[in-house]
Amino acid sequence: MKMIAYQIKHLLLLAALFGANNSFLRPVTGELPADKNATTQTVLLYNNLKKLAGKGYMFGHQDDLAYGVNWRYENGRSDVKEVAGDYPAVYGWELGGLEAGAERNIDGVPFKKMRQFIKEGYERGGVITISWHARSPYGAEKGAWDTTHGTVASILPGAANHQLYRTWLDELAKFFLSLKGSKGEAIPVLFRPYHELTGNWFWWCRNACSAEQFKVLWRFTLYYLSEEKKVHNLLYVYNTAGDFKTKEEFMERYPGDDAVDMISFDSYQYDDPAKSDWFVKNTNVQLGLMGEIAAEKNKLTAIGETGYEQIPFATWWTETLSKAIGEHKISYVLVWRNHGYNQWMKKMHYYAPYKDHGSAADFVKFYQQENTLFEKDVAREKLYE
């Protein structure tokens, strides 16, 4: 009897990993996310985000409540709020370091404080998204940026580092399960693991593993968190780098419709928008391609990360970012963190305006646009009801 039970469990695991079309295991519907046992609030968020995209897109900011330019851990502070009078609708956070048992993430934010910030944003009606710069099992000193080929292969089921990878997921599961609202409900999270997966700078990118290996990694991660650890407050976000030119490139490592809730990409401004409209045109094209895929597969969409470091172009918000998104229907756009002076980089490192910044006035105009949604806007939408 034990052998039969083991064989059934093994077959289910294989089906979860490889069987994107196994309707008996994960029936695909228009109402349930990838995790068919998702919590009520998570399912409500999933469906409400689909409706919300018709009204506009949410604005997000990484680490918004933790720190800003020239301040750290001051209760209620937010560079975005001090400029626009409102918090961002989406709060981005990072779990890198959690898998190693660290008390702080790779950007120095204590996980204990992060839990509180996540609860604050959620209680006000905001949306939480979390990325994970997991360290490499082969090169912890380089963190996520170790590109040793074969790293992904080493953590797949049956491989040398698979048990280590399970311990990493155990730590993530504890964190996700610890995120509770005031009524004890699990706080929903847009989980964006293995971001920029089509790049060549992380150990899970295309230069370090095959497309099939990445798909197995993704599917095992979803299976282990949802089925083994009973984490049911996650929506899974597939996130590419901003280097794709065709739908085929975007979808090369896509793990299956039943394993993804949202598709997205990251794209930053590096050239001078006063001299070049490349960012606007390229982002528009890529949003068009992604939108076609989303329509075919009934998926949510987003720009997972973007920004223009230090925002030296005074009207970047309305003349560049707003035009880049145009009429495309996306769930959110998130700009990166406001670190302030970065000692390692030897320069100021921030992507949202702060009080009296040169682009602050334009950011207020961006905030006032009908199709940009901040926290007060989404709170009225009651995304978790």
Side-chain angles (χ1 to χ4, degrees), residues 202-267:
F202 298 128
W203 56 262
W204 56 82
C205 285
R206 60 186 175 190
N207 60 315
C209 69
S210 70
E212 290 307 310
Q213 288 169 341
F214 179 84
K215 292 175 186 178
V216 174
L217 171 65
W218 184 284
R219 296 185 68 83
F220 175 80
T221 301
L222 187 155
Y223 166 82
Y224 189 79
L225 289 174
S226 62
E227 303 300 324
E228 295 288 336
K229 306 307 294 186
K230 309 303 179 185
V231 177
H232 298 307
N233 55 325
L234 305 182
L235 296 175
Y236 291 84
V237 183
Y238 175 83
N239 178 253
T240 74
D243 56 357
F244 64 95
K245 295 180 178 61
T246 65
K247 290 193 285 187
E248 289 72 25
E249 287 181 357
F250 184 86
M251 296 293 287
E252 181 186 3
R253 291 169 174 254
Y254 184 72
D257 291 346
D258 63 332
V260 171
D261 297 305
M262 175 181 282
I263 57 177
S264 64
F265 64 88
D266 295 352
S267 181

Side-chain angles (χ1 to χ4, degrees), residues 51 63 90 112 135 161 174 231 243 272 344 347 366:
K51 299 174 185 175
D63 288 352
V90 178
K112 184 176 181 180
R135 64 174 182 167
N161 289 317
K174 291 177 189 175
V231 177
D243 56 357
D272 184 351
W344 179 72
K347 64 178 180 178
F366 175 78

Side-chain angles (χ1 to χ4, degrees), residues 25 54 119 160 167 201 204 216 245 278 293 299 305 310 368:
L25 183 62
K119 182 178 180 180
T167 67
W201 41 86
W204 56 82
V216 174
K245 295 180 178 61
W278 180 87
I293 296 169
K299 300 299 176 187
E305 293 177 29
Q310 300 181 25
Q368 292 170 339

